[in-house]
Amino acid sequence: EQLRQWNSKLNLTRLVEDDDFWIAQVFDSLWPLVPLLQSGAAQAPLRLIDVGTGGGFPGLALAIAFPQAQLTLVDSVGRKTQAVQAMAAALGLADRVQLRCERVELTGRHGQCRGQFDLAMARAVAAAPVVAEYLVPLLKPGGQALLYRGQWTTDDQSDLERALQLLRAEILRSEQRELPAGRGQRTALFVAANAACPKGYPRAVG
């Protein structure tokens, strides 16, 4: 219902009547977090960060689903962060959604962000080992990283596990499902740190 109110506020009726928006954007953003939402954690004052937010997903969807959370959305493209900032303001989320226009390699080294988040996530950003290097340094003790992936193989799993050893982290669990209307398979991987991330990560841009 909250998401449909969002549609009304932004006057996106033609866009969101399209299943592609609801399934490939909204549903795909939220399905891995349904158990967390059902647990009552949606009412907790969590700090969440969306790396490579692009058009605002999954970040804006989570800002609506987690009404007590503070969201940081990161993208290196100024026109994208400006557009998402305008959408957040139109939705009345400006006090809970902060935009950072920068490379995430810089975000992960900034004192306001490194080691500060309960949940760090990235969708359609880079290969899984690279995404892990972006997300793990952002986690506070007890925090988790959520990697949204498509098809997932044993080779992908091995590559990620090798990267996580360097980051002092591990895969907690993985979940797979088929999106409705034949929109393809999705994989969600939850990662937690075993110790403080080495200071060398994330590595410098380039």
Side-chain angles (χ1 to χ4, degrees):
E1 179 59 32
Q2 286 177 305
L3 291 167
R4 293 194 179 276
Q5 290 175 8
W6 171 21
N7 166 32
S8 177
K9 287 181 181 179
L10 294 182
N11 194 27
L12 295 178
T13 302
R14 289 185 61 193
L15 174 61
V16 300
E17 284 177 350
D18 184 349
D19 284 346
D20 186 62
F21 177 85
W22 285 107
I23 295 172
Q25 299 295 345
V26 178
F27 183 89
D28 192 31
S29 293
L30 295 178
W31 76 263
L33 297 164
V34 168
L36 188 62
L37 290 165
Q38 292 175 336
S39 74
Q43 301 304 316
L46 302 174
R47 289 195 66 189
L48 315 180
I49 185 167
D50 174 13
V51 167
T53 192
F57 291 95
L60 289 179
L62 267 65
I64 294 171
F66 291 82
Q68 303 303 317
Q70 295 289 325
L71 276 289
T72 299
L73 280 55
V74 183
D75 203 283
S76 62
V77 180
R79 59 182 173 78
K80 293 182 180 180
T81 57
Q82 291 168 9
V84 174
Q85 186 74 72
M87 285 190 283
L91 291 164
L93 301 173
D95 61 331
R96 295 195 295 112
V97 175
Q98 175 191 13
L99 273 292
R100 296 181 70 95
C101 183
E102 63 189 9
R103 291 282 304 221
V104 69
E105 293 93 338
L106 301 177
T107 308
R109 292 181 172 275
H110 197 286
Q112 291 182 347
C113 296
R114 188 178 182 90
Q116 298 298 312
F117 294 93
D118 298 287
L119 180 66
M121 70 207 83
R123 192 169 73 114
V125 171
V130 177
V131 174
E133 182 174 340
Y134 292 160
L135 299 184
V136 171
L138 298 166
L139 300 179
K140 66 191 302 183
Q144 295 184 22
L146 169 55
L147 286 70
Y148 292 80
R149 313 304 300 174
Q151 296 285 342
W152 190 250
T153 68
T154 55
D155 287 342
D156 295 328
Q157 183 95 359
S158 297
D159 290 345
L160 178 57
E161 288 173 346
R162 282 194 294 271
L164 291 175
Q165 288 179 358
L166 298 174
L167 299 168
R168 300 176 185 165
E170 64 179 348
I171 299 172
L172 288 180
R173 68 184 188 278
S174 63
E175 301 175 12
Q176 287 187 320
R177 70 165 300 149
E178 293 287 332
L179 292 185
R183 299 304 170 109
Q185 186 183 77
R186 294 292 186 270
T187 304
L189 297 118
F190 289 86
V191 169
N194 296 319
C197 183
K199 292 183 179 179
Y201 298 101
R203 288 167 288 183
V205 177

